[in-house]
Amino acid sequence: MKYTHLLFDLDNTLMDFSASSVLAFKDTLNHFEILEEQDFYPVYRKINRQVWEELENGKIDQVTLREKRFRLFFEYIGRSELDPLEGNKRYLQGIVDHPVYLDGALELLDEFKETFTMSVVTNGLKEVQRPRLENKNLKDYFKSIIVSDEIGSAKPQKEFFDYVFNTIPEAEKSKTLIIGDSLGSDILGGNNYGIDTCWMNYYKTKNDSEVKAKYSITHLPDLRNLVR
Ligand SMILES: [Mg+2]
């Protein structure tokens, strides 16, 4: 067998974060009774992505992220009197309340659990990731669950991967594959660390970046052919 250890990103790799996020955002707007004159979700998504990039580049910390994304969003819609931390809290609760799995994810984990040692490696906030992994006993599939928020470093940083391999000492780098949808965090991080990478390109986006994965799939079950 080619690999013994599989490191799964969570969002948009095993779970459809984008679908959950749309629903959670709607809950948040409803909570504040914000009427949409236009579709605000793309605005929020863009702000959120920028703020996450700042975090992944080490420019801001997790505490700032929690506050900054809704502060910028509320400013954008002219409602800067609203509490950004409350916005963040409502949104995160919405993510927990609306779990969506990618097609075939649970079946694949079920099948793989006898053969591979699997872990979750996620850049996320603990108050979201932990409860979601408790759902449907998802956590039982995994040897380790590593959440960036809890360890103070994030993919693609080397420190994050050092932590992963210290936590799973039996994992050999040459027999480990990381599977994730983000070129900038999952794939870049894996490439830099010297482990094989699989880009889970569920939304079939074009790769315009310089970061290239060893494998690319658009459908999670295709992983079966790569790992054996
Ligand atoms: Mg992801």
Side-chain angles (χ1 to χ4, degrees):
M1 218 160 36
K2 221 162 169 181
Y3 300 104
T4 54
H5 284 74
L6 305 179
L7 306 177
F8 284 98
D9 169 52
L10 186 63
D11 287 316
N12 291 341
T13 299
L14 295 174
M15 297 187 80
D16 191 341
F17 184 82
S18 304
S20 298
S21 177
V22 170
L23 299 169
F25 184 72
K26 222 170 246 322
D27 285 359
T28 310
L29 295 187
N30 287 341
H31 170 76
F32 289 103
E33 297 177 347
I34 294 169
L35 296 175
E36 289 187 87
E37 303 129 35
Q38 59 174 97
D39 183 6
F40 283 144
Y41 187 71
V43 175
Y44 168 75
R45 190 176 54 193
K46 191 168 168 222
I47 291 171
N48 182 51
R49 195 171 295 155
Q50 283 165 359
V51 176
W52 266 103
E53 269 171 31
E54 290 175 28
L55 179 103
E56 284 165 1
N57 295 330
K59 287 185 193 148
I60 60 165
D61 61 17
Q62 318 262 8
V63 177
T64 308
L65 177 127
R66 283 177 174 79
E67 181 269 336
K68 188 170 181 180
R69 53 186 181 174
F70 275 93
R71 175 166 52 78
L72 294 180
F73 172 69
F74 289 152
E75 279 169 12
Y76 179 89
I77 63 168
R79 297 291 303 274
S80 45
E81 81 279 9
L82 298 176
D83 177 3
L85 284 175
E86 182 62 18
N88 187 63
K89 200 174 120 196
R90 292 283 159 181
Y91 171 78
L92 296 183
Q93 187 56 47
I95 297 286
V96 174
D97 291 343
H98 301 288
V100 185
Y101 295 87
L102 287 193
D103 288 343
L106 295 175
E107 295 80 354
L108 191 82
L109 292 175
D110 226 29
E111 182 187 319
F112 276 9
K113 71 170 187 264
E114 306 298 335
T115 320
F116 302 99
T117 306
M118 302 187 286
S119 296
V120 166
V121 290
T122 170
N123 282 1
L125 305 180
K126 59 177 182 283
E127 62 267 43
V128 179
Q129 305 305 55
R130 290 285 168 192
R132 285 198 303 154
L133 286 156
E134 302 286 330
N135 251 321
K136 291 207 186 187
N137 298 325
L138 204 59
K139 70 176 187 337
D140 297 341
Y141 292 113
F142 302 110
K143 179 173 174 66
S144 296
I145 291 167
I146 296 162
V147 182
S148 63
D149 189 28
E150 293 173 344
I151 66 169
S153 59
K155 298 173 287 183
Q157 296 163 1
K158 178 180 176 292
E159 294 74 16
F160 182 92
F161 287 87
D162 283 340
Y163 186 95
V164 171
F165 281 87
N166 286 335
T167 306
I168 322 166
E170 66 278 22
E172 284 175 52
K173 278 166 78 169
S174 63
K175 294 219 149 224
T176 300
L177 178 70
I178 182 168
I179 304 109
D181 68 295
S182 165
L183 291 165
S185 57
D186 303 309
I187 306 306
L188 180 65
N191 286 349
N192 286 347
Y193 208 73
I195 59 176
D196 284 355
T197 52
C198 177
W199 185 33
M200 169 59 181
N201 185 14
Y202 180 67
Y203 286 97
K204 299 192 177 75
T205 51
K206 202 164 155 265
N207 182 359
D208 293 323
S209 82
E210 288 175 2
V211 180
K212 306 288 177 212
K214 183 172 171 108
Y215 312 105
S216 290
I217 55 173
T218 53
H219 189 50
L220 206 51
D222 295 342
L223 199 56
R224 289 190 178 96
N225 306 325
L226 305 179
V227 293
R228 297 201 189 271

